[in-house]
Amino acid sequence: MPITAMRRAVTESVSGLPRAFWWLWISTLVNRLGAFVATFMALYLTLERGYSASYAGLVAALHGLGGVASSLGAGVMTDRLGRRPTLLIAQASTALSVAVLGFMEHPVAIAGVAFLVGMASNASRPAVQAMMADIVRPEDRVRAFSLNYWAINLGFAISSAGAGFIASYSYRAGFLIEAAMTMVCAIVVFMKLPESRPVRTAQEKAAEPVVGLGTVLRDGRFMGVVGLSFLVALIFQQGSVGLPVAMGEAGFTPADYGLAIAVNGVLIVALQIPVTRFIEHRDPRRLLVVSSVVAGYGFGLTAFAGSVGVFALTVCVWTLAEIVNAPTQTGLVVALSPTHGRGRYQGMYTMSWSVAALVAPLMSGFMIDRFGAEWLWAACAVLGTVAALGYWGLMRGLPDEGPAEGPAQSPVEGPAKDPAQSPMEGPVKDPAQSPMEGPAEDPAEGPVEGGAVSAAGSVAPRTDSAAAPRP
């Protein structure tokens, strides 16, 4: 590609997004750059502390359980307190709990604090997703979600490489560095991000239906998306839980697994933006169906892998599915969420990934021990097929106009910086998510950086990461 064409492609990929989004993006990148603990926690417990692998697995499960426990509560906080205060509380709590975890020595204390770390770190996700939905125009959401997902993976790739060097010096230093960088994210939220929750008048509040957790549970179409998200998450989780075990049993070394899985991060960093440009205006219904099939059968092909090179090729296949699925699925969640209940809906969606993170290790361990790794990969292919059929049936009945998003809102940064946004025009037109928002129920409390958020403008939104979100 000529230099001028490449420069134009990059410019078009990053232009037109509000300033608040970029502060969120920077916060996400800094957060993931400091994500050392998740990388070396198992090694810390087994090598540094001398605990068994079973205990390390228990701590990991408690960390995941904490995320499940906080998902719905954080969603409610996001709607009631606001995006910004929820983010501040979650990130400050994460920084404190991670620092404390580095000084814990008793096994019960380590397990208990790990549970709290899981709760605190997962609590920011609904607020991030809701805030990004608030501040980015609907037509820019695919780009915004993809850029955010790209930042997650870039930060993860760098932190994973740095974690080994830090661990060789001091495991405790890793805990403290992560705590410090998470606190930097909280400071960025406090200093640079205005509250993005739409301000509604008393008349608008009276006219809108009340959205509670019961409302979310009774929303059949949305809960169908949550269930399908759980199936897709089960598949992708096998890259970090089933694949290393299967490769180990086949006689491959940890270095071999590291080489194969590194392809995942490299491809996401290299291809997320160009692939997003390719899919941005394509039918999201087909994208979800196709990406589910490719993910399932990408893992299914692992059953035929006999060398590191072939394992790496299978990683290439399902990574392409991940690149397409993550922003598209997030956009579907945003499109199906009412504006004034966005936090609760995002909390339920986040919980699907947290539960998958708990179930996936049990699923892979049981199937590999009882039946062999081939059956695990066959199960992934089946799950991908079921998810694709589910998306096809679910999206077939969705009108082209997409569900109403509720009252639109003007951009967080003022009309001069971000033109008024029109309501979402399709079920998954463009996903965007961001980590920060704050309380702004009173119209007098407009955003710190510009025009107040009014109910008359428009609204816009894994990795987990998270991401698809990464864990």
Side-chain angles (χ1 to χ4, degrees):
M1 177 185 292
I3 298 297
T4 55
M6 185 180 299
R7 186 178 302 166
R8 183 172 62 251
V10 172
T11 301
E12 291 175 356
S13 297
V14 302
S15 63
L17 296 171
R19 184 184 304 169
F21 165 79
W22 290 110
W23 283 116
L24 280 174
W25 187 89
I26 290 171
S27 176
T28 297
L29 181 61
V30 171
N31 196 315
R32 299 310 299 180
L33 284 171
F36 302 115
V37 173
T39 304
F40 61 65
M41 188 64 182
L43 294 176
Y44 168 72
L45 293 175
T46 54
L47 299 181
E48 179 78 359
R49 292 295 182 186
Y51 293 117
S52 66
S54 297
Y55 174 76
L58 173 64
V59 171
L62 286 171
H63 182 277
L65 184 62
V68 174
S70 69
S71 295
L72 296 182
V76 174
M77 286 176 61
T78 296
D79 284 338
R80 289 188 176 179
L81 294 181
R83 283 63 154 153
R84 186 167 175 264
T86 302
L87 276 170
L88 286 170
I89 292 171
Q91 292 180 339
S93 300
T94 301
L96 178 61
S97 57
V98 166
V100 170
L101 183 59
F103 291 91
M104 294 295 100
E105 298 185 358
H106 193 279
V108 175
I110 291 174
V113 177
F115 176 79
L116 295 178
V117 170
M119 285 188 67
S121 60
N122 199 67
S124 64
R125 292 180 182 176
V128 168
Q129 294 167 354
M131 178 173 267
M132 198 171 290
D134 295 337
I135 64 178
V136 178
R137 295 180 301 179
E139 60 268 29
D140 291 333
R141 286 175 181 165
V142 169
R143 281 196 300 129
F145 277 126
S146 295
L147 286 167
N148 197 61
Y149 191 62
W150 184 82
I152 289 172
N153 283 279
L154 177 63
F156 179 78
I158 296 174
S159 67
S160 297
F165 294 103
I166 294 171
S168 64
Y169 169 72
S170 167
Y171 281 98
R172 181 168 292 170
F175 286 94
L176 295 178
I177 290 172
E178 176 163 345
M181 296 188 78
T182 305
M183 189 58 71
V184 169
C185 294
I187 293 172
V188 169
V189 173
F190 180 76
M191 299 294 293
K192 295 295 184 179
L193 282 166
E195 174 56 64
S196 67
R197 184 176 53 175
V199 175
R200 294 174 291 149
T201 65
Q203 292 82 357
E204 288 170 335
K205 290 180 182 178
E208 291 172 345
V210 176
V211 177
L213 289 178
T215 310
V216 182
L217 292 171
R218 290 190 297 270
D219 189 335
R221 188 188 298 278
F222 180 79
M223 291 306 297
V225 171
V226 171
L228 295 173
S229 168
F230 170 73
L231 296 182
V232 172
L234 271 182
I235 298 172
F236 285 125
Q237 287 287 339
Q238 299 308 324
S240 57
V241 295
L243 185 59
V245 174
M247 289 185 69
E249 288 202 344
F252 293 94
T253 67
D256 292 330
Y257 166 72
L259 184 62
I261 201 63
V263 174
N264 174 256
V266 171
L267 281 182
I268 290 176
V269 172
L271 298 181
Q272 184 70 60
I273 294 176
V275 169
T276 297
R277 286 174 55 80
F278 178 75
I279 68 172
E280 190 170 4
H281 301 297
R282 298 181 183 272
D283 186 357
R285 312 173 193 206
R286 293 182 183 178
L287 294 176
L288 287 170
V289 171
V290 172
S291 63
S292 298
V293 171
V294 174
Y297 283 87
F299 276 96
L301 290 173
T302 310
F304 304 99
S307 67
V308 176
V310 178
F311 276 112
L313 285 176
T314 65
V315 172
C316 289
V317 175
W318 57 259
T319 297
L320 289 174
E322 182 181 357
I323 290 171
V324 173
N325 183 275
T328 308
Q329 184 168 253
T330 306
L332 175 60
V333 172
V334 171
L336 294 175
S337 306
T339 303
H340 58 290
R342 197 169 267 158
R344 290 173 173 85
Y345 274 72
Q346 292 289 354
M348 185 66 72
Y349 170 66
T350 299
M351 191 177 71
S352 70
W353 283 85
S354 298
V355 174
L358 276 178
V359 174
L362 302 176
M363 169 186 165
S364 60
F366 175 80
M367 297 198 74
I368 291 174
D369 287 343
R370 293 291 183 92
F371 307 107
E374 295 79 6
W375 283 87
L376 174 64
W377 309 130
C380 287
V382 172
L383 288 175
T385 303
V386 171
L389 292 172
Y391 278 121
W392 177 78
L394 190 74
M395 303 291 281
R396 186 178 54 170
L398 198 65
D400 290 337
E401 295 79 12
E405 276 201 7
Q409 85 189 64
S410 64
V412 177
E413 302 213 3
K417 288 193 184 277
D418 197 6
Q421 307 164 1
S422 60
M424 187 73 147
E425 293 185 2
V428 191
K429 199 77 168 180
D430 6 82
Q433 66 188 102
S434 125
M436 296 125 210
E437 63 167 277
E441 274 290 326
D442 190 282
E445 300 179 24
V448 251
E449 285 198 22
V453 180
S454 76
S458 77
V459 190
R462 48 274 77 129
T463 192
D464 118 337
S465 43
R470 285 184 181 275

